[in-house]
Amino acid sequence: MLIIPCPHCGPRPELEFRYGGQAHIARPVDPSPLSDEEWASFLYSRDNERGIHAERWRHIHGCARFFNVVRDTTTDQILASYKTGEFRPEAV
C-alpha cells in the first residue's frame, strides 16, 4: 500500500485518496472553435509515461482537497507532493 503525503494533512494510506489523472493539463480558454477530434484529444489523450510522472490526487477521506504528486510509475515511489496551483518542485 502506498503512503501518500497530503500537503494539507500529512502522510496517509492510499485508501484515503482517489487518483485524479495527469497533473498540469490546461483546459482550452475557448473550446468552441475546436474540432471534435481536438476536443476528444483534450478529454482523453494523456501521457502514459513510464517513469517520473506528475499526477493529481484527491484526499476524499480527509481534507477533500486536490493536490499533485510526483511519482515514479515503475517503482511507485512518491518523490514529492505539492498543493494545486504551486509549481512542480525543481528537484524532481
Side-chain angles (χ1 to χ4, degrees), residues 34-62:
L34 297 179
S35 69
D36 289 343
E37 292 79 20
E38 291 169 324
W39 184 244
S41 179
F42 164 73
L43 290 176
Y44 303 113
S45 296
R46 297 290 181 259
D47 297 336
N48 191 11
E49 300 173 359
R50 184 178 181 120
I52 297 174
H53 187 64
E55 307 169 328
R56 286 178 49 110
W57 287 81
R58 185 173 184 205
H59 194 180
I60 59 167
H61 296 295

Side-chain angles (χ1 to χ4, degrees), residues 59-71:
H59 194 180
I60 59 167
H61 296 295
C63 62
R65 295 179 182 173
F66 280 97
F67 61 96
N68 298 320
V69 168
V70 178
R71 182 174 66 93

